Amino acid sequence: MTEHAREHQDDRGRADGAEDVSTGSTTEKAEAATQAIPELVIISGMSGAGRSTAAKCLEDLGWFVVDNLPPALIPTMVELGARSQGNVARIAVVVDVRGRRFFDNLRESLADLESKHVTRRIVFLESSDDALVRRFESVRRPHPLQGDGRIVDGIEAERNLLRELRGDADLVIDTSSLNVHELRAKMDAQFAGDEEPELRATVMSFGFKYGLPVDADLVVDCRFLPNPHWVPELRPFTGLNEEVSDYVFDQPGAKEFLNQYTELLQLIAAGYRREGKRYVTIAVGCTGGKHRSVAMSEKLAARLATEGIETVLVHRDMGRE
């Protein structure tokens, strides 16, 4: 082989090698482009409100759960999940307040996720001060933020730090009166389905005399309608009874209110979808949560279901009298 021929073969070999490298780079880019971004749920809320129980429920449903992950590492976790070739399709991250930079790091992480078009949802576990104090006292553990103060001091500090996150939450669950099984049932209702609906609504009847539901997004007041409590033959029954329901909706303005409020909810639901909000709790109240609110909640939930909104119906205070 002449010297010129050898040089020509070497040049060709280098060219072929360069082509192989280029092809490999293109293949890697194609594979990266096809990586599936995992579904992400961030679980947070008050210490003692049930974060661990909520996380365990998602773990049982097949989610990859990471507890107490620093917020700054959330984008890294999502990236690792995307590289898993579909083995980690759903990630749940439990975050809590461990330092003053908590929200600075969390904001940065959420902004990073948004720039990468990662779909994320925030589940916030809420509970009353009284319930949280009882829980910490029952396990004889201090609140992580109480320092040298009282449990209530730690609760107040944490509530102040989490106020902004609670406002950004897609789903708020009040666990004040829930046991472990009831909390798991709520999580199952929201996450057990194979396909996530566009919007899920919880319609909850309640009595104003027992207090407003703290996890309500919208509150409806039915006390403008006459109270069946003052009708002796209706008093023993509830809004589930046909006679009570008929009485409520025979009153002036009842049917008109139901029709117009349903139309308003359609407008609100469209806005929620545009903003990426998937969960809404509508609290319907009357004095005792037994007659008017129950009847109205039943009708309202049925209307929402016909509009294609997956609806859960809860009568919080019925039976408390």
Side-chain angles (χ1 to χ4, degrees), residues 210-279:
Y210 299 114
L212 286 170
V214 297
D215 52 348
D217 296 294
L218 303 169
V219 177
V220 178
D221 188 351
C222 291
R223 291 177 295 183
F224 71 94
L225 298 170
N227 192 347
H229 174 82
W230 303 114
V231 180
E233 59 269 25
L234 297 180
R235 182 179 302 174
F237 302 106
T238 71
L240 299 178
N241 183 270
E242 184 177 354
E243 286 77 10
V244 173
S245 182
D246 289 344
Y247 175 86
V248 170
F249 285 98
D250 282 342
Q251 303 305 316
K255 293 177 182 177
E256 292 81 359
F257 176 82
L258 176 63
N259 293 335
Q260 294 182 29
Y261 192 71
T262 301
E263 293 180 4
L264 178 61
L265 287 177
Q266 292 171 359
L267 179 65
I268 294 173
Y272 280 163
R273 292 187 182 101
R274 287 192 298 269
E275 294 300 315
K277 184 176 176 65
R278 294 182 176 225
Y279 309 98

Side-chain angles (χ1 to χ4, degrees), residues 85-106:
Q85 298 180 344
N87 293 323
V88 181
R90 299 183 297 177
I91 297 175
V93 176
V94 183
V95 295
D96 59 15
V97 180
R98 295 292 181 183
R100 295 298 176 178
R101 281 191 51 80
F102 172 85
F103 273 113
D104 291 338
N105 292 336
L106 185 57

Side-chain angles (χ1 to χ4, degrees), residues 278-299:
R278 294 182 176 225
Y279 309 98
V280 58
T281 297
I282 305 164
V284 183
C286 63
T287 303
K290 179 180 179 181
H291 296 112
R292 293 165 291 180
S293 62
V294 172
M296 187 65 72
S297 294
E298 290 283 331
K299 296 287 187 182

Side-chain angles (χ1 to χ4, degrees), residues 19-208:
E19 182 177 353
D20 289 341
V21 171
S22 176
T23 302
S25 177
T26 303
T27 302
E28 289 174 1
K29 290 180 180 179
E31 289 177 351
T34 58
Q35 287 178 342
I37 299 177
E39 184 178 358
L40 174 66
V41 167
I42 297 172
I43 300 174
S44 190
M46 299 297 296
S47 299
R51 292 188 308 243
S52 298
T53 299
K56 179 60 178 175
C57 181
L58 290 185
E59 188 174 40
D60 292 342
L61 292 173
W63 290 65
F64 184 82
V65 178
V66 184
D67 198 3
N68 292 333
L69 184 72
L73 296 181
I74 294 177
T76 302
M77 178 58 63
V78 173
E79 183 180 349
L80 292 173
R83 295 178 182 177
S84 70
Q85 298 180 344
N87 293 323
V88 181
R90 299 183 297 177
I91 297 175
V93 176
V94 183
V95 295
D96 59 15
V97 180
R98 295 292 181 183
R100 295 298 176 178
R101 281 191 51 80
F102 172 85
F103 273 113
D104 291 338
N105 292 336
L106 185 57
R107 288 192 197 98
E108 293 170 3
S109 295
L110 293 180
D112 188 10
L113 294 172
E114 185 175 356
S115 69
K116 296 175 181 177
H117 307 290
V118 176
T119 300
R120 58 100 182 120
R121 287 171 289 168
I122 299 175
V123 177
F124 191 94
L125 281 299
E126 174 68 277
S127 194
S128 68
D129 289 0
D130 289 343
L132 294 175
V133 169
R134 287 196 303 270
R135 291 168 189 173
F136 277 106
E137 288 181 341
S138 67
V139 296
R140 298 183 180 180
R141 294 180 58 187
H143 187 281
L145 295 184
Q146 78 179 71
D148 296 330
R150 302 170 300 164
I151 292 175
V152 291
D153 298 326
I155 292 172
E156 182 181 4
E158 185 177 36
R159 202 177 291 283
N160 290 333
L161 286 171
L162 293 176
R163 183 171 288 110
E164 183 177 338
L165 180 61
R166 187 189 188 284
D168 292 337
D170 299 281
L171 175 63
V172 177
I173 301 178
D174 177 21
T175 67
S176 301
S177 59
L178 299 181
N179 58 36
V180 172
H181 304 293
E182 290 168 335
L183 174 55
R184 290 182 65 91
K186 280 184 173 286
M187 292 295 294
D188 285 343
Q190 301 295 346
F191 294 100
D194 294 332
E195 297 182 359
E196 288 294 321
E198 288 190 348
L199 182 67
R200 283 180 171 169
T202 297
V203 179
M204 176 188 299
S205 69
F206 74 96
F208 277 95

